[in-house]
Amino acid sequence: MPLDHRRLCGPEESQPPSLWAALAAEDEDEEGAGAAPRDPCSLRPLFARAGLLSQAQGSAYVELGSGTKVLCAAWGPREAAEPGPGRLLCEFRRAPFAGRGARGRPGGLAEREAEREAAAALREALEPAVRLGRYPRARLAVSALLLQDGGSALAAAVSAAALALADAGVEMYDLAVGCALCRPPAATAAAWMLQPAEPEERRAAARLTLALLPALNQVSAVLGGGQGGPPEDWAQALRLGLDGCHRQYPVLRQSLLRAAQRRDAAAAATAAAASVA
Amino acid sequence: MAPPSRYCVPGERLCSTEEATAGSGTYTRHGFIFSSLAGCLERRSEDSGLPVVSVVRDSESQLLPNVGAVVTCKVCSINSRFAKVHILYVGSTPLKSTFRGTIRREDIRATEKDKVEVYKSFRPSDIVLAKVISLGDAQSNYLLSTAENELGVVVARSEAGVQMVPISWCEMQCPRTHTKEFRKVARVQPQFLQT
C-alpha cells in the first residue's frame, strides 16, 4: 500500500477514549485539592542552560518546576535597511502541543493575536537591556518557542531570551529576569502568588508579569491586568515580583558563566586538534 | 599553564573608574565599570595611566563597519556612477553576514574626480580595500571611498582568468597574456614589500 505522506498516521491498534477520559478527570480533582496549601512566596525550581543550539549564534533553554519549557534562539547583528540605532525583532511561538486539552481553532486568529502580543511584550522587556546604540543599521533577531505551558510562560520566555542574547555575544547593559504573579479569585484568600502553575493561572482574577534588570535595579516591563484590589495591593505585588526576580538571577547568571566556560574549552580543544593535525 | 580566567556576565560590576579605564565590552555608569558581554575578563596595564579593563569573547566578535574603518570588499556590480560591493572583512576580522556598500564615482580617486571612469577603476569580482565614510541614509548602503594611495584594488583577475600583477597605480598586467588592464590599484604598504 503506498504511504500517505500528507497525514500523520496513528497507531495500529486503537482503544476507546473513555479509558483515558476517566483518568484525566481524576487528575484535575487532585490538582484542585492540592493547590490550596501552597506557599505564595515560594519559587519553583528553575533550570536554565545557555549555548545548546548550533544553528543559532546564541540559545537558551529555561524550564520551571511547574512544567513550563521555553527554548529561545538569538542571532547577532545583520544588515538592516533603516538608518538609526539597531532594532530588536522578537518572535514568540507556541508549539502545537504546548497546552493541555484540545486547541480551540488551531492556527486561528486568536492564537496569532496572542503570539503577536507576547512578541511585543518580549520586545518591550528586552529593549532596555540591549545596547542598540552599538549596532547602527543592524537587526537583532530573537525567537522564543514555548514547548510546554505550565504557567508563567511569558516570564520564562523573557529570561530565556535575555540569556540567548547574552550567549550570542550581543552587548547588553544587563540580563532581563522575568517573574509572573497571579491572584486567585476573591472568594478564596486574596494574596498574590509567585509563579503560578497552569490551573492557578487559569482560575486567577488578576495576572502580572514583571521583567527586571537586576544589576541596575531597573524594571523594564510590567504587564498584566485583571480585577485587582486597592492600589496598595498592586504595589505589594510588584515588590513580591521584584523579590522573585532577584532570587532567580543567580541561577541564570551561573548558567551563562558555565556556557562561556564550555565554549572556551571547546574552542581551545579544536585549536589544539587543528595545531596537532 | 594559563591562570584561571575570570568570567563575567552582562551587568556585572567590575571595578570603579578610578582604578581602571573601560575598554571594549564594558560600559561605565555612576562611576563604576560594568561588563557588557558574557566572556572573559582581561586586564591590560598601559604605560601611561590606569590599566584598561575589557571583556573578550574569543570565538566571535560581532563587528560592524564603523565610520573611518578600512574594510575589504568584493565588487559585485558596476555602473557608470558607482560600484556596488559586498563588505567581507572589517580590518582583519571576517564578518559573519555580508553587508552591502557603495563606492561612488567621485570617491574613487582623490584627484581629477570628474575624469574618473568606473569601468577603468573596478571590475566585478575584484577585491578592494576601502574606507567607510558614512553609514548611509534610508535608501543607500554603507558609503565607501578609495580616495587614498593605500586604498583600491588589491586582487583582480584578468579576462583570461589569471590573477594580475600591479605595474602602476592605474594599471595591472596579466602574467600569461601580458595584456594591461586599467584598475585603481592600491599601493602596497612598505611592510609587505620584499626587497
Side-chain angles (χ1 to χ4, degrees):
Chain A
M1 198 168 110
L3 286 174
D4 188 356
H5 296 280
R6 284 168 296 186
R7 297 182 182 84
L8 287 172
C9 300
E12 301 275 322
E13 304 171 350
S14 81
Q15 286 143 352
S18 49
L19 283 177
W20 314 108
L23 209 58
E26 283 169 22
D27 248 349
E28 279 285 329
D29 289 336
E30 270 182 35
E31 277 182 34
R38 198 203 126 193
D39 176 18
C41 299
S42 71
L43 281 180
R44 311 271 184 182
L46 171 76
F47 173 79
R49 186 176 152 130
L52 37 115
L53 289 179
S54 58
Q55 303 97 318
Q57 286 174 6
S59 53
Y61 172 73
V62 166
E63 185 173 330
L64 290 176
S66 56
T68 308
K69 302 175 171 73
V70 181
L71 179 64
C72 194
W75 288 268
R78 287 204 200 126
E79 193 179 6
E82 301 86 15
R87 298 198 321 160
L88 186 66
L89 298 170
C90 293
E91 197 205 352
F92 182 87
R93 278 167 40 230
R94 284 178 71 101
F97 41 84
R100 287 190 68 168
R103 285 159 84 187
R105 296 172 70 107
L109 190 61
E111 283 193 5
R112 285 204 302 268
E113 278 297 319
E115 284 183 2
R116 221 172 296 152
E117 265 185 52
L122 209 57
R123 180 162 176 231
E124 192 188 325
L126 289 175
E127 249 186 356
V130 179
R131 287 182 83 176
L132 291 173
R134 294 272 296 157
Y135 299 105
R137 285 189 74 106
R139 210 174 27 149
L140 305 164
V142 171
S143 166
L145 176 65
L146 182 65
L147 296 167
Q148 185 180 331
D149 188 3
S152 338
L154 188 58
V158 165
S159 309
L163 275 185
L165 277 174
D167 188 47
V170 171
E171 292 209 17
M172 301 174 72
Y173 289 115
D174 198 1
L175 287 179
V177 184
C179 188
L181 303 116
C182 86
R183 180 207 169 101
T188 57
W192 285 87
M193 275 200 302
L194 268 181
Q195 288 196 331
E198 217 248 318
E200 289 161 358
E201 211 171 61
R202 223 177 331 133
R203 281 175 290 175
R207 295 177 200 91
L208 194 64
T209 306
L210 275 183
L212 172 75
L213 309 179
L216 305 175
N217 213 16
Q218 286 178 1
V219 174
S220 63
V222 177
L223 311 137
Q227 293 173 350
E232 300 84 40
D233 248 6
W234 288 90
Q236 198 241 342
L238 270 181
R239 275 192 289 271
L240 193 59
L242 294 181
D243 180 55
C245 288
H246 276 294
R247 277 150 65 190
Q248 287 181 30
Y249 179 60
V251 179
L252 300 175
R253 181 170 171 269
Q254 194 62 28
S255 76
L256 207 53
L257 290 175
R258 279 213 200 100
Q261 283 164 356
R262 243 182 286 129
R263 196 184 325 116
D264 279 350
T270 48
S275 63
V276 160
Chain B
M1 181 71 174
S5 38
R6 193 185 135 192
Y7 288 92
C8 45
V9 291
E12 193 169 319
R13 194 166 72 181
L14 301 175
C15 62
S16 78
T17 43
E18 290 152 24
E19 298 165 23
T21 40
S24 74
T26 58
Y27 67 95
T28 50
R29 207 184 194 122
H30 302 312
F32 288 98
I33 301 181
F34 292 83
S35 158
S36 153
L37 285 177
C40 222
L41 182 64
E42 200 185 73
R43 208 180 185 104
R44 266 195 340 264
S45 48
E46 301 267 305
D47 303 323
S48 61
L50 306 162
V52 175
V53 159
S54 58
V55 180
V56 282
R57 270 171 73 99
D58 319 300
S59 38
E60 318 99 29
S61 58
Q62 316 276 357
L63 219 35
L64 282 187
N66 293 321
V67 176
V70 174
V71 297
T72 308
C73 30
K74 183 169 182 160
V75 179
C76 41
S77 68
I78 58 174
N79 198 330
S80 62
R81 282 177 294 135
F82 51 79
K84 291 242 191 247
V85 302
H86 276 313
I87 303 180
L88 304 172
Y89 285 70
V90 174
S92 47
T93 45
L95 288 178
K96 288 242 198 51
S97 56
T98 52
F99 289 78
R100 312 192 107 246
T102 306
I103 307 182
R104 288 179 306 179
R105 186 169 150 239
E106 53 267 20
D107 296 326
I108 295 182
R109 265 177 24 194
T111 55
E112 293 185 333
K113 289 185 187 176
D114 45 340
K115 295 213 187 82
V116 167
E117 281 186 57
V118 182
Y119 193 64
K120 287 191 176 158
S121 313
F122 302 126
R123 292 288 173 94
S125 88
D126 284 353
I127 307 290
V128 172
L129 271 177
K131 185 180 275 199
V132 180
I133 46 178
S134 153
L135 300 176
D137 55 1
Q139 308 307 327
S140 66
N141 311 315
Y142 284 87
L143 280 181
L144 310 171
S145 152
T146 54
E148 279 176 31
N149 289 335
E150 275 82 22
L151 302 176
V153 174
V154 189
V155 173
R157 287 188 175 267
S158 73
E159 318 234 317
V162 183
Q163 191 162 326
M164 292 196 286
V165 175
I167 36 182
S168 81
W169 68 274
C170 58
E171 281 189 336
M172 287 181 121
Q173 189 171 30
C174 169
R176 194 194 293 170
T177 58
H178 301 290
T179 45
K180 294 187 190 169
E181 292 187 26
F182 289 106
R183 297 283 198 279
K184 198 271 175 191
V185 186
R187 178 164 73 182
V188 184
Q189 293 181 4
Q191 66 243 36
F192 298 126
L193 275 178
Q194 262 180 324
T195 41

